[in-house]
Amino acid sequence: MSEVAKAAGVSVMTVSNVVNGHRYVSEATRDRVLDAIDRLGYRVNVAARSLRSGSTGVIGLAVPDIEKPYFGQLAALIIDRAGALGYQVVVEQTGATRENELGALAHSRLRRYDGLILSTVRLGDEDADQLRSDLPVVVLGERLTAQGSVDRVAMANVEGAREATHHLIERGCRRVAALGAEPGSRPGAGALRAAGYRQALDEAGLPWRAELQVRCGFSMADGAAAVRVLLASGTPFDGVVCFTDTIAIGALRALADHGLAVPDDVLVAGFDDVEQAAYTVPSLTSVAPGHAEMVDAALRMLTERIAGRRDADAHEEFTGPHRLVVRQSTGGP
């Protein structure tokens, strides 16, 4: 740590503050210290820190499905950013079940993790009490809506889906299909994105048509199957807004199989801006939900709790900044 401090031109205490995630360090100083850490290959001695402070230097990350591009990208980013702060990350898969999401909490306590980042799909407000414990926890997701119940990081789901749908309408679409959760579904990303889709139609003076909204899962196969349902029904559509990029990639495949050209015949937009979106043919227009900002916020909240710098009852919520990345699937470059 002394060598890092010398290389960065700061005090040892400043290096310690950066490694432990203290917020009262300027961005310029933090970047200088992290650069020195990378150049010198500095790693925290986890065993020594555990003996001294009772911490392990390990945090847990529980996600529904590591094979999904979004969650794989999320995990890689968390591992990278947490490593720069001196933490190792153990990743586990919950399979999007309530039992396993609650199990991730129990496992984290048994394995003496310093904290847990939990991506929830099934836990709701009725489970909030189980998240309030001595284990620092940050929740990623939308199902827990009770204000101040837990530290939470969310996406701008309504706003992002609304902007993607507006974009298709501005490009000339008048019958925009939506692939994902139905209106009125249980609270979650899909239902919120459905609400954003509906808002955009209302604002453009276009009617919502039940036959243009197809409920489906979140895999590529689900997206392809949903498009085939639309095509088999004979329902005309000139645009498709997909509630995830994996759905959109499947939709592109099904449209191509049916001889429909994107964007000449149908425009397609996705959500999540996973890395693969830039490499599909055509490349996929997608809503980027602010991956880096959400990860940084989650790690800041978690490390502050681990360090005891947050009041037990003072919980924070953060929503990532979104932007629409326009690519070839909607006529972009």
Side-chain angles (χ1 to χ4, degrees):
M1 194 176 285
S2 296
E3 292 175 12
V4 171
K6 182 178 179 180
V10 298
S11 68
V12 173
M13 180 59 72
T14 297
V15 175
S16 176
N17 287 340
V18 171
V19 168
N20 289 291
H22 291 257
R23 64 192 306 177
Y24 302 111
V25 180
S26 72
E27 285 302 313
T29 300
R30 188 183 304 275
D31 289 344
R32 203 159 68 246
V33 171
L34 292 176
D35 180 65
I37 286 173
D38 287 340
R39 284 189 286 110
L40 296 174
Y42 171 73
R43 293 293 180 269
V44 174
N45 186 324
V46 175
R49 182 166 71 177
S50 179
L51 288 172
R52 184 174 63 251
S53 66
S55 67
T56 63
V58 177
I59 61 176
L61 170 64
V63 297
D65 186 352
I66 198 66
E67 288 189 349
K68 291 286 192 300
Y70 169 73
F71 292 113
Q73 185 170 313
L74 174 73
L77 190 55
I78 288 176
I79 290 168
D80 180 65
R81 298 292 176 98
L85 297 173
Y87 286 93
Q88 294 179 323
V89 180
V90 175
V91 182
E92 65 177 286
Q93 183 170 268
T94 65
T97 69
R98 179 177 181 273
E99 178 184 9
N100 288 345
E101 289 177 359
L102 290 174
L105 288 167
H107 295 160
S108 294
R109 295 186 183 99
L110 290 173
R111 294 167 182 164
R112 299 185 59 81
Y113 296 162
D114 290 343
L116 174 69
I117 297 176
L118 175 61
S119 179
T120 60
V121 176
R122 298 300 177 188
L123 296 186
D125 289 336
E126 65 275 14
D127 301 303
D129 285 343
Q130 299 195 53
L131 296 171
R132 299 189 190 101
S133 71
D134 56 349
L135 176 72
V137 176
V138 174
V139 167
L140 305 179
E142 287 70 27
R143 288 292 308 281
L144 287 154
T145 58
Q147 292 289 328
S149 61
V150 66
D151 290 325
R152 185 167 72 98
V153 174
M155 292 185 186
N157 288 291
V158 174
E159 298 84 354
R162 174 177 168 273
E163 184 172 350
T165 307
H166 263 307
H167 174 67
L168 297 184
I169 294 169
E170 288 170 353
R171 293 290 171 106
C173 295
R174 290 298 175 266
R175 295 181 64 89
V176 180
L179 308 185
E182 291 179 332
S185 299
R186 293 190 68 182
L192 293 170
R193 292 172 193 181
Y197 161 74
R198 184 72 176 266
Q199 282 184 16
L201 294 179
D202 291 344
E203 290 166 1
L206 296 175
W208 174 79
R209 304 176 189 273
E211 65 273 19
L212 283 175
Q213 187 151 355
V214 181
R215 183 174 185 174
C216 69
F218 296 112
S219 71
M220 287 179 271
D222 292 328
V227 167
R228 294 188 190 106
V229 167
L230 276 174
L231 294 170
S233 71
T235 302
F237 61 96
D238 52 11
V240 182
V241 59
C242 302
F243 294 165
T244 72
D245 285 350
T246 50
I247 293 174
I249 292 170
L252 289 175
R253 175 74 266 172
L255 291 167
D257 289 345
H258 201 265
L260 292 171
V262 177
D264 295 339
D265 299 320
V266 181
L267 274 61
V268 178
F271 200 117
D272 289 334
D273 194 36
V274 298
E275 184 180 5
Q276 291 88 336
Y279 296 95
T280 56
V281 180
S283 57
L284 178 64
T285 291
S286 183
V287 177
H291 299 288
E293 291 88 348
M294 289 192 296
V295 166
D296 286 344
L299 286 171
R300 175 181 55 77
M301 293 178 194
L302 193 67
T303 54
E304 287 177 355
R305 287 241 175 255
I306 291 170
R309 297 194 304 275
R310 301 278 298 282
D311 291 338
D313 296 325
H315 294 98
E316 181 179 348
E317 296 192 4
F318 175 87
T319 300
H322 76 283
R323 65 187 179 91
L324 186 68
V325 181
V326 178
R327 298 192 179 97
Q328 295 169 342
S329 67
T330 59

